[in-house]
Amino acid sequence: SISADVALSTVEAVSKPVVSSDMQTGLTASSGLVAYSTTVGAPTISADIFELPATPQFGAEPKIFASVNRLGGQISSAGLYLSDDGGVDYKLAASLPVAGVTGTTLNGLEDRNPALPDLSSTLEVQLDHEDMALYSRPRLALLNGANLARVGTELLQFETAQATESGTFLLSGLLRGRAGTDHSLVGSATGQRFILLQSGDLGSQSFDQTSIGSSYQAKILPAGQVLADAPAHSVSLGGAALKPFAPAHLKARFDSTAGVTSTWTRRSRVGFAWLDGADAPLGEASLAFRIGYSAGGQTFTRDVTAEGDTLTTTELTTHFGSSPLTLTITVAQISDVVGAGTAASVTLQIS
């Protein structure tokens, strides 16, 4: 809160999440998604290989997930094979059900406050196969994790699924930016990949923390087919499930005497329940944040161990010169395994 006797030169800003260039997560530098379609023998399969942030349904350990569906032929199972020696030798990493529900979005979504249900937007999805379907679920089921989907890099949930024509569904009653993905909302682009995240429909391989950053050759092979015939894809384990979420309630104010004071509230990637009388678990080895100040092409960064920081007027002048200036402040929680997580940001106009 801000006291009633703040100086006349006080200005205040509130945050929105951002992703800095060195804070991306996933299997690739951009989206973390490898779209993988192949015809091996008679059956034709389509597969998506990806990582997920920490979620109650899928845990908070490093994993590679695969969603596999058939586009033609009869097939009920497949295998995810990984090679850590450049494709010389492959080992079966996970058995995969061929039951994925995937598709492509036919419209975009406007940004919405992820803290509130999005009751005005609709998302139209063209599924990959006519045998696939999406179903409506009651709101209480959503609060227990039902109808979770990966759209682009955003995780969202939908309450209502209405079939509009063969293989096309209109989704509404949305919960946006789930599991810390409020920094990567779908946006206006169409043609984004849609993956329904149901534990029984996905396969996964878990990794220990020492594997973060490792690269693999991946093959998905339908049962009964020959491994040598399957094409390979390069994937790398980014450790998305270990990335701290962006802090919440980031606020900053400038006072001509005190300088720039910033405060925020940490978020837990492992504590999703709202428990009376108990704080959310930290989820990291220690409490630490990386705060960056930027203005006029100059940047000053430091690590702090509290949910707040003050850039004194002397530091402000030393690093950025005299006002007026536009100061951008970013804050990310730090993991001792994967470093800084997703950042939140505010911008101050200092005159």
Side-chain angles (χ1 to χ4, degrees):
S1 62
I2 299 177
S3 62
D5 58 348
V6 295
L8 293 178
S9 57
T10 296
V11 293
E12 182 186 34
V14 295
S15 67
K16 63 178 181 179
V18 299
V19 182
S20 67
S21 59
D22 61 345
M23 295 177 186
Q24 297 285 352
T25 64
L27 294 176
T28 66
S30 54
S31 68
L33 175 67
V34 175
Y36 180 108
S37 296
T38 180
T39 300
V40 183
T44 303
I45 64 170
S46 174
D48 297 282
I49 305 173
F50 52 95
E51 289 187 71
L52 290 174
T55 65
Q57 299 94 319
F58 300 103
E61 61 180 341
K63 292 180 182 179
I64 288 179
F65 294 87
S67 176
V68 183
N69 62 74
R70 68 176 184 87
L71 301 181
Q74 296 299 316
I75 178 175
S76 60
S77 64
L80 170 64
Y81 290 81
L82 295 177
S83 169
D84 59 6
D85 58 8
V88 177
D89 294 306
Y90 285 86
K91 296 179 180 179
L92 178 63
S95 296
L96 307 174
V98 182
V101 179
T102 56
T104 303
T105 61
L106 300 181
N107 67 291
L109 291 172
E110 294 183 6
D111 288 354
R112 291 286 188 264
N113 184 348
L116 301 173
D118 183 357
L119 303 180
S120 61
S121 300
T122 58
L123 182 66
E124 191 169 17
V125 177
Q126 175 68 60
L127 297 180
D128 287 334
H129 195 279
E130 61 184 9
D131 290 345
M132 298 177 183
L134 299 171
Y135 300 95
S136 301
R137 299 294 301 274
R139 190 163 299 178
L140 180 59
L142 261 63
L143 298 179
N144 287 324
N147 277 358
L148 180 67
R150 190 181 196 268
V151 183
T153 53
E154 179 184 353
L155 299 192
L156 58 77
Q157 292 173 270
F158 57 94
E159 181 178 3
T160 302
Q162 178 184 358
T164 56
E165 55 184 87
S166 178
T168 302
F169 289 81
L170 192 65
L171 310 182
S172 59
L174 306 178
L175 300 180
R176 306 286 304 279
R178 312 303 279 170
T181 61
D182 43 309
H183 66 282
S184 56
L185 299 181
V186 171
S188 59
T190 63
Q192 299 200 57
R193 194 71 176 143
F194 174 94
I195 306 169
L196 187 65
L197 302 176
Q198 298 182 131
S199 57
D201 295 346
L202 303 179
S204 66
Q205 170 63 31
S206 299
F207 296 84
D208 58 36
Q209 296 179 358
T210 61
S211 298
I212 302 298
S214 297
S215 296
Y216 302 90
Q217 292 293 305
K219 291 187 175 187
I220 293 182
L221 185 70
Q225 303 303 311
V226 179
L227 185 62
D229 293 338
H233 262 287
S234 296
V235 298
S236 60
L237 185 68
L242 299 180
K243 289 280 186 178
F245 297 166
H249 308 305
L250 173 58
K251 297 181 179 180
R253 55 178 288 191
F254 170 73
D255 184 287
S256 57
T257 301
V260 177
T261 301
S262 305
T263 60
W264 57 86
T265 302
R266 69 175 179 87
R267 295 165 71 189
S268 175
R269 63 182 177 86
V270 297
F272 293 90
W274 196 340
L275 303 177
D276 292 338
D279 199 359
L282 178 59
E284 314 301 335
S286 60
L287 184 67
F289 300 89
R290 182 156 299 151
I291 183 167
Y293 300 92
S294 301
Q298 302 297 314
T299 299
F300 170 61
T301 302
R302 62 184 168 204
D303 294 350
V304 299
T305 57
E307 293 171 88
D309 186 52
T310 297
L311 185 72
T312 66
T313 53
T314 299
E315 291 175 318
L316 185 66
T317 302
T318 298
H319 292 290
F320 306 109
S322 59
S323 57
L325 55 87
T326 301
L327 183 69
T328 298
I329 303 164
T330 59
V331 181
Q333 190 170 356
I334 299 173
S335 160
D336 64 318
V337 179
V338 296
T342 305
S345 175
V346 295
T347 297
L348 287 175
Q349 301 292 335
I350 298 176
S351 57

